[in-house]
């Protein structure tokens, strides 16, 4: 039985400011990582990923300056090791 799975990921760099902070506000950067299956599912239901990320940050009280699509990377995960490391009931 195959215990390895390749996960494809894409990073989106988000630049934002906290509107609750007094002026001058600091520009913050954060990377949001999404797997390929999530991106594909968003596309199927007609959701633009960058718009979704903007709305998520704006709900938290932040003003988004930009969302930039970054690198695509892949990771090979050993599912057996992942299962061993998972917290059981």
């Amino acid at each position: 039985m195959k215990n390895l799975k390749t996960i494809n990921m894409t990073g989106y760099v988000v630049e934002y400011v906290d509107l609750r902070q007094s002026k001058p506000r600091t520009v913050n950067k954060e990377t949001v990582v999404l797997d390929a299956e999530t991106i594909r599912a968003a596309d199927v239901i007609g959701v633009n990923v960058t718009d979704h990320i903007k709305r998520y940050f704006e709900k938290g009280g932040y003003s988004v300056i930009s969302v930039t699509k970054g690198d695509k990377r892949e990771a090979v995960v050993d599912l057996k090791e992942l299962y061993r490391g998972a917290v059981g009931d």
Side-chain angles (χ1 to χ4, degrees), residues 18-79:
D18 189 346
L19 297 177
R20 299 166 294 202
Q21 186 181 32
S22 61
K23 292 183 180 181
R25 297 182 175 124
T26 306
V27 176
N28 301 297
K29 283 187 179 182
E30 187 173 326
T31 302
V32 176
V33 179
L34 300 174
D35 65 297
E37 293 176 14
T38 302
I39 296 169
R40 213 172 301 122
D43 188 42
V44 167
I45 62 172
V47 174
N48 183 309
V49 173
T50 55
D51 289 342
H52 174 71
I53 292 170
K54 283 181 186 178
R55 282 193 301 272
Y56 178 79
F57 274 79
E58 288 168 354
K59 281 181 18 181
Y62 304 104
S63 177
V64 176
I65 298 167
S66 68
V67 178
T68 308
K69 186 175 181 179
D71 296 344
K72 291 184 178 183
R73 298 183 185 179
E74 58 180 47
V76 178
V77 179
D78 184 348
L79 297 176

